[in-house]
Each structure stands twice: as structure tokens, then as C-alpha cells.
């Protein structure tokens, strides 16, 4: 696993995945894709998909060392994801065709912008 350190001069290039809310530089999304969603989003080397499925507008950051043991990860629905830096909220919505693709892949899309009602409770 590569380092999650982001030099201060690259902070403006950070983006958050709209599906899992992981925060990485745009270059990292290009070279490695999303560490949680790559199997169905296929972001590696696809700048158009990165633009559609990630956002530069997000609120708050959470750093998770062990998502499986964290109550914050459970609260934010991050407990099945890799350790890393995550946004509390990600502004934006996936395109309808991408949402359909996720559902066809068996992935339940929950918007990370706070607009979804919590129907799990």
C-alpha cells in the first residue's frame, strides 16, 4: 500500500470518490483508481470517469487506521473499506447511467452528500 501523505502544494488536487468518499489526489485516482470501488468504477487511466465519479467539493476529513474497529467508520458507513482518509460529505451525484451500472453490479449506491434517508435503522 502506498503512502497517503499529500504535500501541501497538492491539496488543491484532492478529490473524493462519490461512492465510498475516499480522498486522494487526482493523479492517484488516475494511476491507481479507487482502493474501494475500482472493481466496478474502473477509474484507472480514465480521466472522464474520474471527473464523473469523484468531486473536488467535500466537507470534513476522517482518517481511519482500522475501519473494521472504528465506531466513526460504522457511523459513516466506511467499516468495510481500506484504511485511509475519507470525506464526511461529498458534494455531487453520480450520473444516472453510473448508478444503473452500480445496481447491475450488485452495489447499493448511497449518496455521500447527506441527501439519502437512513433506511437501515
Amino acid at each position: 500500500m502506498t503512502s497517503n501523505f499529500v504535500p501541501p502544494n497538492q491539496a488543491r488536487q484532492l478529490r473524493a470518490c462519490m461512492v465510498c468518499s475516499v480522498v486522494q489526489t487526482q493523479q492517484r485516482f488516475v494511476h491507481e483508481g479507487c482502493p474501494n470501488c475500482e472493481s466496478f468504477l474502473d477509474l484507472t487511466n480514465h480521466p472522464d470517469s474520474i471527473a464523473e465519479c469523484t468531486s473536488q467539493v467535500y466537507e470534513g476529513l476522517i482518517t481511519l487506521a482500522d475501519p473494521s474497529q472504528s465506531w466513526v467508520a460504522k457511523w459513516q458507513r466506511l467499516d468495510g473499506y481500506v484504511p485511509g482518509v475519507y470525506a464526511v460529505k461529498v458534494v455531487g451525484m453520480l450520473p444516472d447511467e453510473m448508478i444503473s451500472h452500480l445496481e447491475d453490479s450488485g452495489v447499493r449506491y448511497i449518496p455521500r452528500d447527506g441527501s439519502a434517508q437512513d433506511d437501515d435503522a
Side-chain angles (χ1 to χ4, degrees):
M1 186 165 125
T2 59
S3 170
N4 285 326
F5 175 75
V6 176
N9 64 346
Q10 291 186 8
R12 289 183 179 220
Q13 297 177 23
L14 292 175
R15 299 187 70 85
C17 176
M18 288 190 215
V19 177
C20 72
S21 77
V22 71
V23 176
Q24 305 183 129
T25 61
Q26 178 153 354
Q27 282 299 98
R28 192 157 179 192
F29 275 114
V30 169
H31 296 299
E32 300 174 22
C34 178
N36 299 304
C37 307
E38 190 60 20
S39 63
F40 48 86
L41 288 183
D42 192 29
L43 300 179
T44 304
N45 296 319
H46 293 103
D48 292 340
S49 295
I50 293 169
E52 289 181 343
C53 299
T54 67
S55 175
Q56 287 183 297
V57 184
Y58 54 87
E59 296 177 21
L61 292 173
I62 301 167
T63 301
L64 296 174
D66 187 356
S68 65
Q69 298 296 313
S70 169
W71 70 268
V72 174
K74 185 168 178 58
W75 182 263
Q76 290 292 123
R77 297 180 178 158
L78 304 172
D79 49 333
Y81 295 148
V82 300
V85 179
Y86 292 84
V88 175
K89 286 186 178 182
V90 181
V91 177
M93 288 287 292
L94 287 175
D96 290 337
E97 63 271 5
M98 184 56 71
I99 294 172
S100 297
H101 173 71
L102 290 177
E103 291 170 354
D104 292 344
S105 299
V107 177
R108 182 171 169 236
Y109 174 61
I110 300 170
R112 295 287 179 168
D113 63 359
S115 65
Q117 297 295 318
D118 188 6
D119 57 359
D120 290 344

